[in-house]
């Protein structure tokens, strides 16, 4: 009997489910149709792959992009899962071969393009088989309201009707409420089966810098990302070529990507990036749709994106593997005007919609609050945390807010008196008593507010103006950024309410990325030299197999190896992403590298605590601990949760470490095969050497007591100690 937990560990090599994965899988197992909305990197694929391995019959996955299909199939095959794809890219022979394999029942997951699924050949093939699950990836393509409508997707409703016994899943990373409703009704889903996870990408550090000398700023940024993969987005093809040349001249491994290049060159550059042969891609927004590369460590927006949605999608290409990644936007008024110029060539209503989008984008870039709030608000999500800790505004030393009532009043009345026809810069000129043509032309030196703001500098006034807009006291018209006082602003002036804010724009720390939260301190401080050796080994194996390196192992798996130095089969299997088949294929190669490195540098293996997380599976230790205290035996618990004794012992250890008492250790000590004398000796060793690290104790007994024993005895020890 396979359970989702056992498949997660043995096939995929992961300890715990990501948020909602477990619930979604349970829903699909119960054969209820399910809509999954998850941010990029949220782990959507696993939610149909795990049920696919549990069901007896076939799972069909519909996917619109041939490149992604191939990638998914490669990843599954590397995990030892029988998966294939059928689409128009196959030769007639390969097509027939794959059809035959499916017919023989040799395949668990079949990936197809929607138009392929609709052909009579595939239709009759599938009709002869037991189809258990139909998973529709990129499901927003079903909706005409979506940004990527595909007419073939519409016909999937018919396919679904032809296979009434198959449970159906629709998955997407982007869906407005309208698109969501459209997917549900087209496929005939009921409301109750919708799962949506947060759009917050915790591992992304988000930063906006005023664009001053963008090439120098980019070079400075790149110093922190030696040998790492990243994408730099530019507005125009020309800019892409120029920047790529400039970086190449500085010795960076970089390629351009834009619609002006030959297809073959574009493809070659993308492939080189995916295979880690090239480190940086400088691209127009056309880059990234069909790629799944999980170890993109940074995304730079060299120019301002057109709207928040594309910005979010583009930064979303960083850090799919969950490791800390950095997103930098270089922002200038000039860029906004450039986009405004293009918008002006359009006609309404397109034109005014584009202005609104741009306005939201500039507001975001100029904002002084947490970056996550406006980003998530765009997707209808409220981010409530006071300080996210991983954006520039939260990471910078935010000076405490002060009373800015007087400057606020001066600014608002100056906007009012100049007739609400001007942008912030001109209002500031009036306040500062500047002499220029525009002031004279409009006779603004005759206003009572002329020159009443000389106590502050121009940039301080601009910063105050932004805060007044953010707080809704001023309104900023999108096209020409003309300011007007809102009802709320008038109210504030009349009632003389206090306004608090910042006089100075907060200084941003240059190396804000050092504050990035990480899964654990140990993993953040992995051994960089060992990581490089492991990465080289991965590249060598990947090239030999003709696949991208991440198909072999993710960066996260390598980082864990370089943090814990596993030297046995057991501890290597404990690394995230180390499934059974991957261990069999590559385990020995990596163990050799790790062992040699540790021998040379006299480094010992470190104990990896079981993963901590917030979802249900992550809290299982509580349930296990409580059941044990109520009298359940280890054997019973193993059966109930369908896990090994090891897992139960780990749960109990966590239960104790979380400060809970455990009933007598008798049951536990019965698991030990050592003599009472030997057991006493181990306990004494814990007394003198501590029980955090098992390796020193293992060494002390000259390998005569194995790690399983040590784990059992440590648990008894902790239990008695309480
Ligand atoms: P999405 O399709 O939602 O963008 P993926 O399915 O590609 O996300 O998953 C993103 C990454 O997270 C992949 O590298 C995947 O292997 C990894 N992943 C998925 N589920 C888990 C899990 N439970 N624990 C650890 N890593 C996971
Ligand atoms: Zn923040």
């Amino acid at each position: 009997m396979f359970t989702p937990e056992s498949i997660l560990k043995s096939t995929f090599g992961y300890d715990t489910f990501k948020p909602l994965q477990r619930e979604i899988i349970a829903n699909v197992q119960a054969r209820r149709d399910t809509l999954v909305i998850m941010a990029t990197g949220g782990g959507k694929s696993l939610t149909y792959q795990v049920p696919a391995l549990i069901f007896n019959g076939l799972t069909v996955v519909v996917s619109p992009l041939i490149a992604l299909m191939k990638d998914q199939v490669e990843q599954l095959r590397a995990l030892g899962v029988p998966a294939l794809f059928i689409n128009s890219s196959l030769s007639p022979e390969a097509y027939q071969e794959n059809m035959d394999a499916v017919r023989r029942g040799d395949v668990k997951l079949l990936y197809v393009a929607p138009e392929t699924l609709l052909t009579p050949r595939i239709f009759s093939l599938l009709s002869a088989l037991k189809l258990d699950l139909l998973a529709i990836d990129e499901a927003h393509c079903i909706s005409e309201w979506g940004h990527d409508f595909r007419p073939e997707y519409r016909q999937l409703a018919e396919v679904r009707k032809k296979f009434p016994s198959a449970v159906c899943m629709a998955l997407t990373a982007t869906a407005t409420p309208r698109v969501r409703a459209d997917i549900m009704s087209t496929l005939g889903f009921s409301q109750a089966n919708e799962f949506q996870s947060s759009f917050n990408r915790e591992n992304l550090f988000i930063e906006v810098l005023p664009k001053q000398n963008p090439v120098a700023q980019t070079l400075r940024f790149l110093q922190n990302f030696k040998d790492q993969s990243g994408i730099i987005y530019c507005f125009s093809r020309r800019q892409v070529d120029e920047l790529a040349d400039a970086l190449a001249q500085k010795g960076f491994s970089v390629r351009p990507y834009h619609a002006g290049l030959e297809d073959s060159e574009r493809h070659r550059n993308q492939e080189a990036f995916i295979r880690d042969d090239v480190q940086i891609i400088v691209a127009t927004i056309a880059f990234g749709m069909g790629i799944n590369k999980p170890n993109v460590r940074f995304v730079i927006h060299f120019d301002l994106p057109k709207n928040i949605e594309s910005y979010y999608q583009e930064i979303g290409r960083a850090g799919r593997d969950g490791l800390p990644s950095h997103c930098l936007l270089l922002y200038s008024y000039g860029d906004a005007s450039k986009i405004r110029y293009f918008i002006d060539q359009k006609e309404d209503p397109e034109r005014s919609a584009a202005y609104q989008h741009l306005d939201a984008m500039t507001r975001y870039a100029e904002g002084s609050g947490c970056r996550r709030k406006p980003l998530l608000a765009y997707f209808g999500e409220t981010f409530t945390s006071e300080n996210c800790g991983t954006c520039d505004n939260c990471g910078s030393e935010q000076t405490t807010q002060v009373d800015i009532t007087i400057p606020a009043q001066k600014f608002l009345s100056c906007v009012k008196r100049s007739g609400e026809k001007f942008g912030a810069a001109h209002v500031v000129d009036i306040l500062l008593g500047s002499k220029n043509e525009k002031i004279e032309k409009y006779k603004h030196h005759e206003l009572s507010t002329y020159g009443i703001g000389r106590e502050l500098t121009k940039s301080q006034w601009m910063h105050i103006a932004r805060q007044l807009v953010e707080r809704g006291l001023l309104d900023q018209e999108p096209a020409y950024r003309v300011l007007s006082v809102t009802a709320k602003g008038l109210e504030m002036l009349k009632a003389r309410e206090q306004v608090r804010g910042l006089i100075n724009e907060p200084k941003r720390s240059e190396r804000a990325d050092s504050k990035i939260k990480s899964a654990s301190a140990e993993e953040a401080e992995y051994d960089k030299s060992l990581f490089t050796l492991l990465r080289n080994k991965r590249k060598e194996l990947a090239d030999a197999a003709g696949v991208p390196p991440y198909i072999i192992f993710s960066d996260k798996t390598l980082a864990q190896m370089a943090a814990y130095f596993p030297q046995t089969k057991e501890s290597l299997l404990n690394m995230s992403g180390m499934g059974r088949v991957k261990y069999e294929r590559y385990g020995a190669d990596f163990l050799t590298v790790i062992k040699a490195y540790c021998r040379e540098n006299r480094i010992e293996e470190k104990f990896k605590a079981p993963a901590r997380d917030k979802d249900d599976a992550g809290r299982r230790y509580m349930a296990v601990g409580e059941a044990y205290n109520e009298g359940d035996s280890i054997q019973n618990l193993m059966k109930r949760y369908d896990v090994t004794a090891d897992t139960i012992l780990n749960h109990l250890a966590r239960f104790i470490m979380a400060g809970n008492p455990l009933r007598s250790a008798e049951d536990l000590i019965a698991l030990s095969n050592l003599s009472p004398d030997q057991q006493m000796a181990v306990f004494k060793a814990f007394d003198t050497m501590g029980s955090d690290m098992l390796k020193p104790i293992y060494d002390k007994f000259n390998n005569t007591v194995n790690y399983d024993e040590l784990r059992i005895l440590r648990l008894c020890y902790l239990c008695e100690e309480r």
Side-chain angles (χ1 to χ4, degrees), residues 255-310:
R255 298 273 172 82
Y257 186 99
H258 57 66
L261 298 173
E262 290 282 331
D263 273 0
S264 62
E265 186 179 359
R266 258 207 335 254
H267 183 76
R268 218 172 32 244
N269 291 354
Q270 168 168 318
E271 203 60 20
F273 180 64
I274 287 172
R275 301 205 169 209
D276 287 351
D277 290 327
V278 157
Q279 196 194 324
I280 302 169
I281 285 281
V282 184
T284 50
I285 46 166
F287 183 76
M289 265 295 279
I291 74 159
N292 220 343
K293 185 176 163 68
N295 58 336
V296 175
R297 289 278 74 84
F298 63 87
V299 167
I300 301 178
H301 280 91
F302 198 82
D303 299 306
L304 190 68
K306 281 197 289 294
N307 56 51
I308 298 233
E309 182 162 2
S310 16

Side-chain angles (χ1 to χ4, degrees), residues 369-373 383 385-395:
C370 177
R371 302 279 179 208
R372 287 187 155 72
K373 286 201 169 116
F383 185 70
S385 165
E386 269 303 302
N387 183 318
C388 80
T390 46
C391 80
D392 51 356
N393 286 337
C394 290

Side-chain angles (χ1 to χ4, degrees), residues 61-73 85 87-89 111-115 137-138 140-141 148 150 152-153 270 288-292 317:
V61 185
V62 181
S63 173
L65 292 166
I66 289 177
L68 288 187
M69 231 183 273
K70 180 159 169 280
D71 192 83
Q72 291 266 7
V73 167
F85 63 82
N87 62 34
S88 54
S89 76
Y111 283 76
V112 291
E115 60 276 12
D137 209 359
E138 313 289 346
H140 55 269
C141 297
D148 200 12
R150 284 163 196 250
E152 322 82 83
Y153 256 72
Q270 168 168 318
M289 265 295 279
I291 74 159
N292 220 343
R317 298 191 175 124

Side-chain angles (χ1 to χ4, degrees), residues 8 14 16-18 21 39-46 320:
L8 182 72
Y14 299 137
T16 51
F17 284 105
K18 292 194 178 197
Q21 281 182 330
T40 309
K44 279 184 288 298
S45 323
L46 215 88
R320 294 177 77 127

Side-chain angles (χ1 to χ4, degrees), residues 560-597:
Q560 288 206 347
M561 290 185 208
Y564 297 107
F565 311 99
Q567 307 194 16
T568 60
K569 171 178 180 181
E570 186 198 31
S571 43
L572 196 63
L573 277 169
N574 204 14
M575 300 296 108
S576 170
M578 185 67 72
R580 206 172 22 81
V581 171
K582 285 207 174 167
Y583 172 79
E584 278 161 21
R585 287 196 192 148
Y586 308 116
D589 284 310
F590 285 85
L591 276 180
T592 310
V593 175
I594 300 170
K595 280 186 182 158
Y597 184 81

